[in-house]
Amino acid sequence: MRMIQALDLLTLWERGSSRHALDRSALLCAWARPELPVDTIADLPLGEVTSSLLRLRAALFGERIQAHVDCENCGERLELTIGVRDLLQPGTDSVSRDVDAAGLRFRPPCLRDLSAIVHERDAAQGARQLLARCLVDGVGGSAALLSEMTVREVEDALEAADPNADLAFDVRCEACGHLGTAQLDAGDLLWDEVDCRARALLTEVHLLARAYGWTESEILALSAERRASYLSLVAP
Ligand SMILES: [Zn+2]
């Protein structure tokens, strides 16, 4: 896991700002996994992408995640604190996760598959198209002909084989007691934090450049502690 400097963070933010959320996840994952060739990132099982993103998140912003979710029963806004380690199933990376279900063999979906179906508005149709793309080997059938029940069976088998692909967890509402399920998108979560940190850095550069006439690269080369000290003198 590489550490990230202020200038690197701004470069990452600049490259990801105008991209689709799936491309941002690929960009962040490439950052998290510098040992992998960039063109292989879009073919990683989604669970491996998620675990890479969450480990990068822990390295950049800490192990604890503050999130909020609205109760699906009463609408109460619930504040949550979740640990990265509590979310991830350990030891599932780099394992072959092909599954046999409904007489067919499937590989787990990857970012390239999600990009291919991103414009499909009908969720059921999208699920079938996804499975059709992930069909490795079929005996007497095809993913397009799967019944609704069989689609669910295959999805359950794929989820069991690649559990980090879907970060769902139980949430009990403090107001009404309802036990619901919340889902976390690691790419969205991490990007929001990168965006927030990058904008804060730009404000720091703006204030210090205006006060001292330093260049952006000079300001970003300062440690966070020095920037904070100068900022306290400029705008106490
Ligand atoms: Zn509630």
Side-chain angles (χ1 to χ4, degrees):
M1 180 65 62
R2 71 166 87 171
M3 287 314 292
I4 199 163
Q5 304 300 323
L7 181 60
D8 297 331
L9 188 122
L10 276 184
T11 304
L12 186 65
W13 174 77
E14 194 173 21
R15 289 177 59 198
S17 289
S18 57
R19 295 198 189 191
H20 185 275
L22 291 171
D23 291 337
R24 281 179 188 159
S25 291
L27 180 70
L28 292 165
C29 188
W31 202 274
R33 302 288 300 274
E35 78 282 9
L36 294 178
V38 172
D39 57 1
T40 64
I41 297 290
D43 298 311
L44 290 175
L46 292 175
E48 192 167 339
V49 173
T50 297
S51 60
S52 300
L53 293 180
L54 285 184
R55 288 192 192 109
L56 178 61
R57 196 276 174 195
L60 290 179
F61 304 112
E63 154 78 16
R64 311 302 296 172
I65 296 171
Q66 305 276 356
H68 55 76
V69 58
D70 294 334
C71 171
E72 56 199 20
N73 186 47
C74 74
E76 177 82 3
R77 195 174 184 79
L78 306 169
E79 302 291 333
L80 307 171
T81 303
I82 320 154
V84 167
R85 260 178 248 124
D86 300 333
L87 281 171
L88 290 175
Q89 305 285 325
T92 52
D93 284 359
S94 307
V95 177
S96 172
R97 303 185 190 86
D98 288 358
V99 300
D100 295 316
L104 303 165
R105 173 161 292 183
F106 297 86
R107 61 168 174 77
C110 60
L111 287 172
R112 196 184 302 282
D113 299 320
L114 295 186
S115 295
I117 62 157
V118 76
H119 298 300
E120 178 55 61
R121 299 266 173 237
D122 184 285
Q125 197 60 26
R128 276 197 173 72
Q129 286 179 22
L130 190 67
L131 293 188
R133 288 184 57 86
C134 296
L135 184 62
V136 177
D137 185 22
V139 182
S142 83
L145 300 175
L146 295 178
S147 71
E148 201 173 310
M149 195 189 292
T150 313
V151 167
R152 273 205 298 277
E153 181 193 329
V154 177
E155 286 174 340
D156 288 349
L158 284 170
E159 194 180 319
D162 190 24
N164 289 330
D166 188 15
L167 295 180
F169 50 94
D170 294 338
V171 182
R172 186 173 292 284
C173 176
E174 295 155 3
C176 74
H178 176 74
L179 183 63
T181 307
Q183 268 185 317
L184 189 79
D185 185 307
D188 288 349
L189 170 88
L190 181 54
W191 181 258
D192 285 349
E193 290 172 316
V194 166
D195 185 57
C196 191
R197 181 66 65 90
R199 289 176 192 281
L201 274 171
L202 290 178
T203 302
E204 292 180 14
V205 170
H206 167 71
L207 292 171
L208 293 177
R210 197 168 61 173
Y212 296 107
W214 298 335
T215 65
E216 182 193 62
S217 51
E218 285 170 338
I219 294 166
L220 293 176
L222 296 171
S223 67
E225 291 75 15
R226 282 198 190 194
R227 276 200 309 275
S229 295
Y230 282 120
L231 281 167
S232 69
L233 296 171
V234 170

mmCIF file of all heavy atoms in Angstrom, residues 71 73-76 173 175-178, ligand 1:
data_model
loop_
_atom_site.group_PDB
_atom_site.id
_atom_site.type_symbol
_atom_site.label_atom_id
_atom_site.label_comp_id
_atom_site.label_asym_id
_atom_site.label_seq_id
_atom_site.Cartn_x
_atom_site.Cartn_y
_atom_site.Cartn_z
ATOM 1 N N CYS A 71 -33.406 5.216 8.061
ATOM 2 C CA CYS A 71 -34.180 4.010 8.388
ATOM 3 C C CYS A 71 -35.226 3.789 7.293
ATOM 4 O O CYS A 71 -35.961 4.715 6.935
ATOM 5 C CB CYS A 71 -34.862 4.167 9.746
ATOM 6 S SG CYS A 71 -36.030 2.839 10.113
ATOM 7 N N ASN A 73 -37.855 2.119 7.507
ATOM 8 C CA ASN A 73 -39.206 2.047 8.069
ATOM 9 C C ASN A 73 -39.746 3.419 8.451
ATOM 10 O O ASN A 73 -40.857 3.794 8.057
ATOM 11 C CB ASN A 73 -39.208 1.114 9.286
ATOM 12 C CG ASN A 73 -40.601 0.886 9.822
ATOM 13 O OD1 ASN A 73 -41.526 0.612 9.054
ATOM 14 N ND2 ASN A 73 -40.765 1.024 11.132
ATOM 15 N N CYS A 74 -38.964 4.223 9.209
ATOM 16 C CA CYS A 74 -39.500 5.499 9.719
ATOM 17 C C CYS A 74 -38.750 6.716 9.177
ATOM 18 O O CYS A 74 -39.160 7.847 9.416
ATOM 19 C CB CYS A 74 -39.473 5.513 11.251
ATOM 20 S SG CYS A 74 -37.820 5.716 11.948
ATOM 21 N N GLY A 75 -37.670 6.503 8.438
ATOM 22 C CA GLY A 75 -36.962 7.630 7.827
ATOM 23 C C GLY A 75 -35.961 8.320 8.738
ATOM 24 O O GLY A 75 -35.297 9.266 8.320
ATOM 25 N N GLU A 76 -35.843 7.856 9.993
ATOM 26 C CA GLU A 76 -34.883 8.454 10.934
ATOM 27 C C GLU A 76 -33.458 8.359 10.353
ATOM 28 O O GLU A 76 -33.066 7.326 9.819
ATOM 29 C CB GLU A 76 -34.949 7.696 12.274
ATOM 30 C CG GLU A 76 -33.960 8.160 13.329
ATOM 31 C CD GLU A 76 -34.449 9.386 14.095
ATOM 32 O OE1 GLU A 76 -35.578 9.830 13.848
ATOM 33 O OE2 GLU A 76 -33.680 9.886 14.940
ATOM 34 N N CYS A 173 -32.655 0.534 13.925
ATOM 35 C CA CYS A 173 -33.049 1.937 14.095
ATOM 36 C C CYS A 173 -33.247 2.256 15.573
ATOM 37 O O CYS A 173 -33.945 1.528 16.282
ATOM 38 C CB CYS A 173 -34.329 2.206 13.307
ATOM 39 S SG CYS A 173 -34.943 3.875 13.554
ATOM 40 N N ALA A 175 -34.835 4.822 16.691
ATOM 41 C CA ALA A 175 -36.146 5.444 16.908
ATOM 42 C C ALA A 175 -37.275 4.420 16.936
ATOM 43 O O ALA A 175 -38.128 4.453 17.822
ATOM 44 C CB ALA A 175 -36.403 6.487 15.823
ATOM 45 N N CYS A 176 -37.298 3.491 15.965
ATOM 46 C CA CYS A 176 -38.448 2.589 15.870
ATOM 47 C C CYS A 176 -38.077 1.120 16.095
ATOM 48 O O CYS A 176 -38.950 0.258 16.117
ATOM 49 C CB CYS A 176 -39.146 2.750 14.514
ATOM 50 S SG CYS A 176 -38.240 2.020 13.140
ATOM 51 N N GLY A 177 -36.790 0.820 16.223
ATOM 52 C CA GLY A 177 -36.375 -0.555 16.492
ATOM 53 C C GLY A 177 -36.311 -1.443 15.264
ATOM 54 O O GLY A 177 -35.959 -2.622 15.355
ATOM 55 N N HIS A 178 -36.626 -0.899 14.094
ATOM 56 C CA HIS A 178 -36.637 -1.696 12.863
ATOM 57 C C HIS A 178 -35.215 -2.203 12.549
ATOM 58 O O HIS A 178 -34.245 -1.444 12.623
ATOM 59 C CB HIS A 178 -37.150 -0.831 11.706
ATOM 60 C CG HIS A 178 -37.121 -1.512 10.380
ATOM 61 N ND1 HIS A 178 -38.019 -2.489 10.031
ATOM 62 C CD2 HIS A 178 -36.285 -1.371 9.318
ATOM 63 C CE1 HIS A 178 -37.746 -2.902 8.804
ATOM 64 N NE2 HIS A 178 -36.696 -2.246 8.350
HETATM 65 ZN ZN ZN B 1 -36.814 3.620 12.169
#
